[in-house]
Amino acid sequence: EATAEAARILEGVVGENAPATTLAGIVQAQLRVLPPSAERQATLVRLARLMGDLDAPERGFQYLAEALHGDLENTTIEGQLEAIAAEHNYWEALAGLYEECSAHEDERIGARYVLKVATILEKNLGQAEEASSWYERHLATVPGSREAVEPLVAFYKESGDAASEARVLEAWIEISATREELPGLRMRLGILRMDQLGDVQGAIDALEGCLPDSAADAEFVRRLERLYIRGEHFPALVELYRAALQHAQSDKSRLEILAKMAQVYETRLDDATSARDTSRRMLALEPLNRFALTTLERIERAANDWDAVDEILAKKLEATPAEAARVRILIDRADVAMAHRTKPEEAIEH
């Protein structure tokens, strides 16, 4: 204590303009008797600054490390430590210091320093695999943490670990993704599950979360369409087409979507009524659309509605320029008139 008192007196004599070596010796003498306190913290930080003046970064780092142990989460001290690490490549030492801090009993404080260790390992030491384990530790404490999920997803993608990438993407989507990010992340998860994990239902679950907004995206519709077909989810497939139809920008696009809907209704859902209605919607857009006419002809033949069949054949005839094809249609009309409509005079005319 006498030495510390003498040091204080001496500092008053020599003043702040004394050489850094002299001031450092004086402040070190003052530090010896200081108990843990705000004054001790301030003295440690002052000593670190003096070590910088003396070009002694290692000792300055040590003083700041002690100061941080006494005042965890002090961002000013952390900033000074990180500046020394950047200038003198003390990243391993700083990672070690933050690892010590991560053992704090307060889980939140510990998680904060776990993240700092992970960041240093990844960005400053180039140890991606080691960093991933620290990011995972942080994620276990702070589920969905953006600071952890983004680098983890990138690491697992680079390393080809599709299952881990999907797991972290799920955490990102469920907890921390913004509204703007969700469609892209769900699309990414769906593609990952479909293309790399072979998880059809998991891919469907991910992509369905993008509806209805993503129904305007042709690539999205194509991928979900393929999944529904593989999983035989045909009612859902119809709803997908219905959503896509709302975003169609041209009659050509509308006709393509309606044709797919009609085909699913007829061949997969055995719903002739809906297939008929959908085909007629196509004809409202394009009165002589051959796909719609052929579908309707097949449906009406199955329903034994021969007047409707004849009406459709008449439209097919109107849409057919080739003479040989027209002859076949006329023969069909004659057969329908004779065999099913009991109109021999029309049969002869055809």
PDB file of all heavy atoms in Angstrom, residues 82-110:
ATOM      1  N   GLU A  82      -9.641  -7.192 -29.954  1.00  0.00           N
ATOM      2  CA  GLU A  82      -9.753  -7.626 -31.347  1.00  0.00           C
ATOM      3  C   GLU A  82      -8.867  -6.782 -32.263  1.00  0.00           C
ATOM      4  O   GLU A  82      -8.344  -7.277 -33.270  1.00  0.00           O
ATOM      5  CB  GLU A  82     -11.221  -7.597 -31.774  1.00  0.00           C
ATOM      6  CG  GLU A  82     -12.013  -8.734 -31.119  1.00  0.00           C
ATOM      7  CD  GLU A  82     -13.516  -8.510 -31.093  1.00  0.00           C
ATOM      8  OE1 GLU A  82     -14.007  -7.629 -31.836  1.00  0.00           O
ATOM      9  OE2 GLU A  82     -14.212  -9.222 -30.330  1.00  0.00           O
ATOM     10  N   ALA A  83      -8.685  -5.510 -31.913  1.00  0.00           N
ATOM     11  CA  ALA A  83      -7.786  -4.664 -32.697  1.00  0.00           C
ATOM     12  C   ALA A  83      -6.345  -5.157 -32.572  1.00  0.00           C
ATOM     13  O   ALA A  83      -5.601  -5.204 -33.571  1.00  0.00           O
ATOM     14  CB  ALA A  83      -7.903  -3.212 -32.233  1.00  0.00           C
ATOM     15  N   ILE A  84      -5.933  -5.527 -31.343  1.00  0.00           N
ATOM     16  CA  ILE A  84      -4.579  -6.072 -31.149  1.00  0.00           C
ATOM     17  C   ILE A  84      -4.429  -7.381 -31.903  1.00  0.00           C
ATOM     18  O   ILE A  84      -3.404  -7.632 -32.570  1.00  0.00           O
ATOM     19  CB  ILE A  84      -4.292  -6.278 -29.646  1.00  0.00           C
ATOM     20  CG1 ILE A  84      -4.219  -4.927 -28.935  1.00  0.00           C
ATOM     21  CG2 ILE A  84      -2.992  -7.055 -29.455  1.00  0.00           C
ATOM     22  CD1 ILE A  84      -4.105  -5.038 -27.419  1.00  0.00           C
ATOM     23  N   ALA A  85      -5.452  -8.240 -31.822  1.00  0.00           N
ATOM     24  CA  ALA A  85      -5.391  -9.528 -32.523  1.00  0.00           C
ATOM     25  C   ALA A  85      -5.264  -9.324 -34.028  1.00  0.00           C
ATOM     26  O   ALA A  85      -4.508 -10.035 -34.704  1.00  0.00           O
ATOM     27  CB  ALA A  85      -6.641 -10.349 -32.204  1.00  0.00           C
ATOM     28  N   ALA A  86      -5.986  -8.358 -34.572  1.00  0.00           N
ATOM     29  CA  ALA A  86      -5.931  -8.103 -36.012  1.00  0.00           C
ATOM     30  C   ALA A  86      -4.575  -7.565 -36.426  1.00  0.00           C
ATOM     31  O   ALA A  86      -4.035  -7.952 -37.466  1.00  0.00           O
ATOM     32  CB  ALA A  86      -7.035  -7.115 -36.395  1.00  0.00           C
ATOM     33  N   GLU A  87      -4.014  -6.678 -35.611  1.00  0.00           N
ATOM     34  CA  GLU A  87      -2.742  -6.048 -35.979  1.00  0.00           C
ATOM     35  C   GLU A  87      -1.560  -6.988 -35.802  1.00  0.00           C
ATOM     36  O   GLU A  87      -0.609  -6.970 -36.600  1.00  0.00           O
ATOM     37  CB  GLU A  87      -2.534  -4.784 -35.139  1.00  0.00           C
ATOM     38  CG  GLU A  87      -1.276  -4.010 -35.525  1.00  0.00           C
ATOM     39  CD  GLU A  87      -1.134  -2.700 -34.764  1.00  0.00           C
ATOM     40  OE1 GLU A  87      -2.058  -2.360 -33.998  1.00  0.00           O
ATOM     41  OE2 GLU A  87      -0.089  -2.036 -34.938  1.00  0.00           O
ATOM     42  N   HIS A  88      -1.620  -7.843 -34.783  1.00  0.00           N
ATOM     43  CA  HIS A  88      -0.459  -8.679 -34.450  1.00  0.00           C
ATOM     44  C   HIS A  88      -0.736 -10.175 -34.613  1.00  0.00           C
ATOM     45  O   HIS A  88       0.066 -11.001 -34.175  1.00  0.00           O
ATOM     46  CB  HIS A  88      -0.004  -8.380 -33.022  1.00  0.00           C
ATOM     47  CG  HIS A  88       0.380  -6.949 -32.803  1.00  0.00           C
ATOM     48  ND1 HIS A  88       1.572  -6.426 -33.250  1.00  0.00           N
ATOM     49  CD2 HIS A  88      -0.308  -5.917 -32.224  1.00  0.00           C
ATOM     50  CE1 HIS A  88       1.631  -5.136 -32.926  1.00  0.00           C
ATOM     51  NE2 HIS A  88       0.498  -4.805 -32.306  1.00  0.00           N
ATOM     52  N   ASN A  89      -1.856 -10.500 -35.219  1.00  0.00           N
ATOM     53  CA  ASN A  89      -2.225 -11.898 -35.469  1.00  0.00           C
ATOM     54  C   ASN A  89      -2.268 -12.710 -34.170  1.00  0.00           C
ATOM     55  O   ASN A  89      -1.707 -13.797 -34.067  1.00  0.00           O
ATOM     56  CB  ASN A  89      -1.244 -12.548 -36.461  1.00  0.00           C
ATOM     57  CG  ASN A  89      -1.820 -13.830 -37.056  1.00  0.00           C
ATOM     58  OD1 ASN A  89      -3.042 -13.993 -37.152  1.00  0.00           O
ATOM     59  ND2 ASN A  89      -0.953 -14.744 -37.444  1.00  0.00           N
ATOM     60  N   TYR A  90      -2.982 -12.180 -33.192  1.00  0.00           N
ATOM     61  CA  TYR A  90      -3.148 -12.870 -31.916  1.00  0.00           C
ATOM     62  C   TYR A  90      -4.489 -13.612 -31.871  1.00  0.00           C
ATOM     63  O   TYR A  90      -5.085 -13.786 -30.799  1.00  0.00           O
ATOM     64  CB  TYR A  90      -3.108 -11.862 -30.757  1.00  0.00           C
ATOM     65  CG  TYR A  90      -1.733 -11.338 -30.402  1.00  0.00           C
ATOM     66  CD1 TYR A  90      -0.597 -11.744 -31.106  1.00  0.00           C
ATOM     67  CD2 TYR A  90      -1.566 -10.437 -29.356  1.00  0.00           C
ATOM     68  CE1 TYR A  90       0.660 -11.247 -30.778  1.00  0.00           C
ATOM     69  CE2 TYR A  90      -0.323  -9.943 -29.022  1.00  0.00           C
ATOM     70  CZ  TYR A  90       0.787 -10.349 -29.744  1.00  0.00           C
ATOM     71  OH  TYR A  90       2.025  -9.859 -29.422  1.00  0.00           O
ATOM     72  N   TRP A  91      -4.959 -14.057 -33.007  1.00  0.00           N
ATOM     73  CA  TRP A  91      -6.296 -14.657 -33.038  1.00  0.00           C
ATOM     74  C   TRP A  91      -6.397 -15.927 -32.207  1.00  0.00           C
ATOM     75  O   TRP A  91      -7.423 -16.174 -31.570  1.00  0.00           O
ATOM     76  CB  TRP A  91      -6.705 -14.926 -34.485  1.00  0.00           C
ATOM     77  CG  TRP A  91      -6.929 -13.665 -35.262  1.00  0.00           C
ATOM     78  CD1 TRP A  91      -6.205 -13.206 -36.323  1.00  0.00           C
ATOM     79  CD2 TRP A  91      -7.945 -12.679 -35.016  1.00  0.00           C
ATOM     80  NE1 TRP A  91      -6.703 -11.999 -36.763  1.00  0.00           N
ATOM     81  CE2 TRP A  91      -7.767 -11.652 -35.975  1.00  0.00           C
ATOM     82  CE3 TRP A  91      -8.968 -12.553 -34.075  1.00  0.00           C
ATOM     83  CZ2 TRP A  91      -8.589 -10.532 -36.031  1.00  0.00           C
ATOM     84  CZ3 TRP A  91      -9.789 -11.434 -34.125  1.00  0.00           C
ATOM     85  CH2 TRP A  91      -9.603 -10.434 -35.090  1.00  0.00           C
ATOM     86  N   GLU A  92      -5.350 -16.733 -32.204  1.00  0.00           N
ATOM     87  CA  GLU A  92      -5.411 -17.966 -31.393  1.00  0.00           C
ATOM     88  C   GLU A  92      -5.516 -17.622 -29.909  1.00  0.00           C
ATOM     89  O   GLU A  92      -6.288 -18.244 -29.166  1.00  0.00           O
ATOM     90  CB  GLU A  92      -4.189 -18.835 -31.660  1.00  0.00           C
ATOM     91  CG  GLU A  92      -4.227 -19.541 -33.018  1.00  0.00           C
ATOM     92  CD  GLU A  92      -3.164 -20.612 -33.124  1.00  0.00           C
ATOM     93  OE1 GLU A  92      -2.528 -20.944 -32.096  1.00  0.00           O
ATOM     94  OE2 GLU A  92      -2.972 -21.123 -34.242  1.00  0.00           O
ATOM     95  N   ALA A  93      -4.748 -16.616 -29.497  1.00  0.00           N
ATOM     96  CA  ALA A  93      -4.808 -16.198 -28.087  1.00  0.00           C
ATOM     97  C   ALA A  93      -6.189 -15.643 -27.757  1.00  0.00           C
ATOM     98  O   ALA A  93      -6.747 -15.925 -26.681  1.00  0.00           O
ATOM     99  CB  ALA A  93      -3.734 -15.156 -27.809  1.00  0.00           C
ATOM    100  N   LEU A  94      -6.764 -14.869 -28.680  1.00  0.00           N
ATOM    101  CA  LEU A  94      -8.077 -14.297 -28.417  1.00  0.00           C
ATOM    102  C   LEU A  94      -9.147 -15.386 -28.394  1.00  0.00           C
ATOM    103  O   LEU A  94     -10.054 -15.352 -27.544  1.00  0.00           O
ATOM    104  CB  LEU A  94      -8.415 -13.248 -29.480  1.00  0.00           C
ATOM    105  CG  LEU A  94      -9.721 -12.479 -29.258  1.00  0.00           C
ATOM    106  CD1 LEU A  94      -9.715 -11.781 -27.898  1.00  0.00           C
ATOM    107  CD2 LEU A  94      -9.945 -11.466 -30.369  1.00  0.00           C
ATOM    108  N   ALA A  95      -9.030 -16.372 -29.281  1.00  0.00           N
ATOM    109  CA  ALA A  95      -9.981 -17.483 -29.259  1.00  0.00           C
ATOM    110  C   ALA A  95      -9.890 -18.226 -27.933  1.00  0.00           C
ATOM    111  O   ALA A  95     -10.912 -18.632 -27.351  1.00  0.00           O
ATOM    112  CB  ALA A  95      -9.719 -18.429 -30.431  1.00  0.00           C
ATOM    113  N   GLY A  96      -8.662 -18.409 -27.440  1.00  0.00           N
ATOM    114  CA  GLY A  96      -8.483 -19.075 -26.148  1.00  0.00           C
ATOM    115  C   GLY A  96      -9.106 -18.284 -25.017  1.00  0.00           C
ATOM    116  O   GLY A  96      -9.735 -18.854 -24.104  1.00  0.00           O
ATOM    117  N   LEU A  97      -8.935 -16.951 -25.048  1.00  0.00           N
ATOM    118  CA  LEU A  97      -9.523 -16.093 -24.021  1.00  0.00           C
ATOM    119  C   LEU A  97     -11.052 -16.189 -24.060  1.00  0.00           C
ATOM    120  O   LEU A  97     -11.706 -16.353 -23.013  1.00  0.00           O
ATOM    121  CB  LEU A  97      -9.088 -14.647 -24.244  1.00  0.00           C
ATOM    122  CG  LEU A  97      -9.798 -13.589 -23.386  1.00  0.00           C
ATOM    123  CD1 LEU A  97      -9.528 -13.832 -21.902  1.00  0.00           C
ATOM    124  CD2 LEU A  97      -9.347 -12.186 -23.803  1.00  0.00           C
ATOM    125  N   TYR A  98     -11.626 -16.102 -25.258  1.00  0.00           N
ATOM    126  CA  TYR A  98     -13.081 -16.171 -25.374  1.00  0.00           C
ATOM    127  C   TYR A  98     -13.599 -17.561 -24.985  1.00  0.00           C
ATOM    128  O   TYR A  98     -14.716 -17.685 -24.464  1.00  0.00           O
ATOM    129  CB  TYR A  98     -13.512 -15.817 -26.792  1.00  0.00           C
ATOM    130  CG  TYR A  98     -13.435 -14.335 -27.120  1.00  0.00           C
ATOM    131  CD1 TYR A  98     -13.400 -13.901 -28.444  1.00  0.00           C
ATOM    132  CD2 TYR A  98     -13.398 -13.379 -26.118  1.00  0.00           C
ATOM    133  CE1 TYR A  98     -13.338 -12.549 -28.762  1.00  0.00           C
ATOM    134  CE2 TYR A  98     -13.326 -12.023 -26.420  1.00  0.00           C
ATOM    135  CZ  TYR A  98     -13.299 -11.612 -27.746  1.00  0.00           C
ATOM    136  OH  TYR A  98     -13.241 -10.276 -28.047  1.00  0.00           O
ATOM    137  N   GLU A  99     -12.794 -18.581 -25.223  1.00  0.00           N
ATOM    138  CA  GLU A  99     -13.194 -19.921 -24.789  1.00  0.00           C
ATOM    139  C   GLU A  99     -13.296 -19.979 -23.266  1.00  0.00           C
ATOM    140  O   GLU A  99     -14.235 -20.574 -22.712  1.00  0.00           O
ATOM    141  CB  GLU A  99     -12.203 -20.963 -25.292  1.00  0.00           C
ATOM    142  CG  GLU A  99     -12.597 -22.383 -24.911  1.00  0.00           C
ATOM    143  CD  GLU A  99     -11.693 -23.435 -25.527  1.00  0.00           C
ATOM    144  OE1 GLU A  99     -10.781 -23.083 -26.298  1.00  0.00           O
ATOM    145  OE2 GLU A  99     -11.891 -24.634 -25.214  1.00  0.00           O
ATOM    146  N   GLU A 100     -12.349 -19.348 -22.586  1.00  0.00           N
ATOM    147  CA  GLU A 100     -12.420 -19.283 -21.121  1.00  0.00           C
ATOM    148  C   GLU A 100     -13.697 -18.546 -20.691  1.00  0.00           C
ATOM    149  O   GLU A 100     -14.399 -18.968 -19.766  1.00  0.00           O
ATOM    150  CB  GLU A 100     -11.188 -18.553 -20.571  1.00  0.00           C
ATOM    151  CG  GLU A 100      -9.872 -19.310 -20.758  1.00  0.00           C
ATOM    152  CD  GLU A 100      -8.670 -18.446 -20.396  1.00  0.00           C
ATOM    153  OE1 GLU A 100      -8.886 -17.306 -19.912  1.00  0.00           O
ATOM    154  OE2 GLU A 100      -7.528 -18.892 -20.610  1.00  0.00           O
ATOM    155  N   CYS A 101     -14.011 -17.442 -21.371  1.00  0.00           N
ATOM    156  CA  CYS A 101     -15.205 -16.664 -21.032  1.00  0.00           C
ATOM    157  C   CYS A 101     -16.484 -17.455 -21.286  1.00  0.00           C
ATOM    158  O   CYS A 101     -17.496 -17.252 -20.605  1.00  0.00           O
ATOM    159  CB  CYS A 101     -15.237 -15.365 -21.842  1.00  0.00           C
ATOM    160  SG  CYS A 101     -13.862 -14.235 -21.501  1.00  0.00           S
ATOM    161  N   SER A 102     -16.426 -18.377 -22.262  1.00  0.00           N
ATOM    162  CA  SER A 102     -17.631 -19.139 -22.618  1.00  0.00           C
ATOM    163  C   SER A 102     -18.054 -20.118 -21.526  1.00  0.00           C
ATOM    164  O   SER A 102     -19.168 -20.649 -21.561  1.00  0.00           O
ATOM    165  CB  SER A 102     -17.402 -19.909 -23.926  1.00  0.00           C
ATOM    166  OG  SER A 102     -16.531 -21.011 -23.733  1.00  0.00           O
ATOM    167  N   ALA A 103     -17.164 -20.357 -20.558  1.00  0.00           N
ATOM    168  CA  ALA A 103     -17.491 -21.269 -19.459  1.00  0.00           C
ATOM    169  C   ALA A 103     -18.310 -20.587 -18.360  1.00  0.00           C
ATOM    170  O   ALA A 103     -18.593 -21.202 -17.327  1.00  0.00           O
ATOM    171  CB  ALA A 103     -16.208 -21.844 -18.871  1.00  0.00           C
ATOM    172  N   HIS A 104     -18.704 -19.349 -18.573  1.00  0.00           N
ATOM    173  CA  HIS A 104     -19.460 -18.613 -17.559  1.00  0.00           C
ATOM    174  C   HIS A 104     -20.756 -19.333 -17.227  1.00  0.00           C
ATOM    175  O   HIS A 104     -21.403 -19.926 -18.091  1.00  0.00           O
ATOM    176  CB  HIS A 104     -19.746 -17.201 -18.060  1.00  0.00           C
ATOM    177  CG  HIS A 104     -20.193 -16.264 -16.986  1.00  0.00           C
ATOM    178  ND1 HIS A 104     -21.515 -16.181 -16.583  1.00  0.00           N
ATOM    179  CD2 HIS A 104     -19.503 -15.379 -16.217  1.00  0.00           C
ATOM    180  CE1 HIS A 104     -21.624 -15.283 -15.629  1.00  0.00           C
ATOM    181  NE2 HIS A 104     -20.417 -14.766 -15.382  1.00  0.00           N
ATOM    182  N   GLU A 105     -21.168 -19.248 -15.982  1.00  0.00           N
ATOM    183  CA  GLU A 105     -22.366 -19.968 -15.540  1.00  0.00           C
ATOM    184  C   GLU A 105     -23.648 -19.416 -16.155  1.00  0.00           C
ATOM    185  O   GLU A 105     -24.649 -20.124 -16.265  1.00  0.00           O
ATOM    186  CB  GLU A 105     -22.466 -19.922 -14.018  1.00  0.00           C
ATOM    187  CG  GLU A 105     -22.577 -18.510 -13.462  1.00  0.00           C
ATOM    188  CD  GLU A 105     -22.590 -18.482 -11.941  1.00  0.00           C
ATOM    189  OE1 GLU A 105     -22.296 -19.520 -11.321  1.00  0.00           O
ATOM    190  OE2 GLU A 105     -22.899 -17.412 -11.391  1.00  0.00           O
ATOM    191  N   ASP A 106     -23.631 -18.146 -16.526  1.00  0.00           N
ATOM    192  CA  ASP A 106     -24.786 -17.555 -17.197  1.00  0.00           C
ATOM    193  C   ASP A 106     -24.806 -18.070 -18.638  1.00  0.00           C
ATOM    194  O   ASP A 106     -23.915 -17.774 -19.431  1.00  0.00           O
ATOM    195  CB  ASP A 106     -24.693 -16.032 -17.176  1.00  0.00           C
ATOM    196  CG  ASP A 106     -25.950 -15.363 -17.742  1.00  0.00           C
ATOM    197  OD1 ASP A 106     -26.453 -15.827 -18.784  1.00  0.00           O
ATOM    198  OD2 ASP A 106     -26.404 -14.364 -17.166  1.00  0.00           O
ATOM    199  N   GLU A 107     -25.835 -18.829 -18.988  1.00  0.00           N
ATOM    200  CA  GLU A 107     -25.898 -19.478 -20.296  1.00  0.00           C
ATOM    201  C   GLU A 107     -25.862 -18.477 -21.447  1.00  0.00           C
ATOM    202  O   GLU A 107     -25.236 -18.717 -22.476  1.00  0.00           O
ATOM    203  CB  GLU A 107     -27.174 -20.325 -20.385  1.00  0.00           C
ATOM    204  CG  GLU A 107     -27.147 -21.388 -21.451  1.00  0.00           C
ATOM    205  CD  GLU A 107     -28.351 -22.295 -21.370  1.00  0.00           C
ATOM    206  OE1 GLU A 107     -29.480 -21.793 -21.544  1.00  0.00           O
ATOM    207  OE2 GLU A 107     -28.179 -23.504 -21.130  1.00  0.00           O
ATOM    208  N   ARG A 108     -26.518 -17.358 -21.250  1.00  0.00           N
ATOM    209  CA  ARG A 108     -26.556 -16.343 -22.310  1.00  0.00           C
ATOM    210  C   ARG A 108     -25.163 -15.777 -22.572  1.00  0.00           C
ATOM    211  O   ARG A 108     -24.735 -15.633 -23.723  1.00  0.00           O
ATOM    212  CB  ARG A 108     -27.514 -15.216 -21.922  1.00  0.00           C
ATOM    213  CG  ARG A 108     -27.642 -14.133 -22.996  1.00  0.00           C
ATOM    214  CD  ARG A 108     -28.374 -12.914 -22.452  1.00  0.00           C
ATOM    215  NE  ARG A 108     -27.688 -12.310 -21.329  1.00  0.00           N
ATOM    216  CZ  ARG A 108     -26.633 -11.502 -21.456  1.00  0.00           C
ATOM    217  NH1 ARG A 108     -26.132 -11.226 -22.650  1.00  0.00           N
ATOM    218  NH2 ARG A 108     -26.068 -10.981 -20.390  1.00  0.00           N
ATOM    219  N   ILE A 109     -24.441 -15.454 -21.497  1.00  0.00           N
ATOM    220  CA  ILE A 109     -23.083 -14.924 -21.643  1.00  0.00           C
ATOM    221  C   ILE A 109     -22.179 -15.973 -22.272  1.00  0.00           C
ATOM    222  O   ILE A 109     -21.390 -15.687 -23.185  1.00  0.00           O
ATOM    223  CB  ILE A 109     -22.530 -14.464 -20.279  1.00  0.00           C
ATOM    224  CG1 ILE A 109     -23.325 -13.262 -19.772  1.00  0.00           C
ATOM    225  CG2 ILE A 109     -21.052 -14.125 -20.386  1.00  0.00           C
ATOM    226  CD1 ILE A 109     -22.946 -12.807 -18.376  1.00  0.00           C
ATOM    227  N   GLY A 110     -22.303 -17.223 -21.791  1.00  0.00           N
ATOM    228  CA  GLY A 110     -21.500 -18.297 -22.362  1.00  0.00           C
ATOM    229  C   GLY A 110     -21.738 -18.447 -23.855  1.00  0.00           C
ATOM    230  O   GLY A 110     -20.796 -18.593 -24.646  1.00  0.00           O
TER     231      GLY A 110
END
